[in-house]
Amino acid sequence: MESILSSAIWRFLAWLPPVLLKRVFSPEWLKDNVYIDIRPRHTSVEIQQPENPSVSIFLELRNNTHFDIVIDRLILKFIYGTEMANPNHFKRESLKPGESRSLYVRANIAHEQFQTLAFQHKHNYGHCRLEVLAECNSKLHDFCIEKTLEGIKPEIMNEHLLKKVPEEVNP
């Protein structure tokens, strides 16, 4: 019943000019109704190593608004104890109302960060997160989505090849 009512109300409101719709639908409302998360939750991040170390991330985007949304760019920071990589997506993604899309982003891990991977895996396994900055456009507003996705448990390919981390010596 609620979906029928909301679609009937929306059909009535859809013809209103954007000037009036801007007052009803704020940038904050649009931001709160665009879903960005890793897919599936917790296990959709892979770290490939030792040759050409990189991180692969699977994202899900969903437009829960009544308007077409364009995600202009996604700027990401993958943090595993320390900042490991910056996978970015600069292709514009157009999402119609109610549409979902899966994205695959990949970035190389710099040599300096890769050298700390064994230590981070041993001592900071629970401190893995993805910081997301998405710049979005719609016919009503331009807006940015900033969020931090916590609780990531990355899968490390060839984990057995990580260098042995020396045990801390107590004086």
Side-chain angles (χ1 to χ4, degrees):
M1 177 67 175
E2 185 176 303
S3 62
I4 295 171
L5 180 61
S6 65
S7 72
I9 292 172
W10 177 242
R11 273 190 245 130
F12 173 73
L13 293 175
W15 62 271
L16 290 172
V19 173
L20 294 176
L21 290 174
K22 283 183 182 185
R23 292 189 175 271
V24 175
F25 299 105
S26 68
E28 289 76 26
W29 184 87
L30 291 170
K31 181 175 26 175
D32 292 341
N33 286 287
V34 174
Y35 174 83
I36 301 173
D37 205 349
I38 57 174
R39 177 194 64 83
R41 193 66 172 114
H42 304 296
T43 58
S44 57
V45 175
E46 293 179 351
I47 298 174
Q48 292 87 22
Q49 56 96 27
E51 291 132 17
N52 193 18
S54 63
V55 62
S56 300
I57 301 169
F58 297 92
L59 291 171
E60 181 180 356
L61 311 173
R62 191 176 326 131
N63 180 3
N64 294 327
T65 71
H66 305 293
F67 309 99
D68 290 346
I69 299 288
V70 175
I71 299 178
D72 192 38
R73 69 191 66 164
L74 281 168
I75 300 171
L76 308 168
K77 282 185 188 177
F78 175 66
I79 299 169
Y80 191 25
T82 185
E83 188 173 320
M84 284 283 168
N86 294 307
N88 297 316
H89 183 76
F90 294 114
K91 182 181 173 199
R92 296 174 62 117
E93 299 290 339
S94 298
L95 298 169
K96 299 199 177 298
E99 184 179 1
S100 291
R101 177 155 313 135
S102 295
L103 288 181
Y104 171 79
V105 292
R106 182 179 175 161
N108 290 331
I109 297 174
H111 180 70
E112 297 79 30
Q113 279 75 23
F114 180 67
Q115 295 302 316
T116 68
L117 181 61
F119 177 83
Q120 302 302 340
H121 179 64
K122 183 172 183 178
H123 297 287
N124 293 320
Y125 186 76
H127 298 110
C128 186
R129 68 182 187 273
L130 183 66
E131 294 179 1
V132 178
L133 172 67
E135 294 184 10
C136 306
N137 307 315
S138 72
K139 74 177 187 177
L140 300 181
H141 302 283
D142 295 341
F143 58 98
C144 288
I145 299 171
E146 290 184 63
K147 62 183 354 184
T148 301
L149 306 176
E150 301 272 350
I152 298 171
K153 297 175 180 87
E155 182 178 341
I156 299 178
M157 301 296 151
N158 300 318
E159 183 178 339
H160 65 283
L161 296 176
L162 286 175
K163 294 179 185 173
K164 299 287 183 196
V165 178
E167 293 298 321
E168 296 177 358
V169 179
N170 292 330

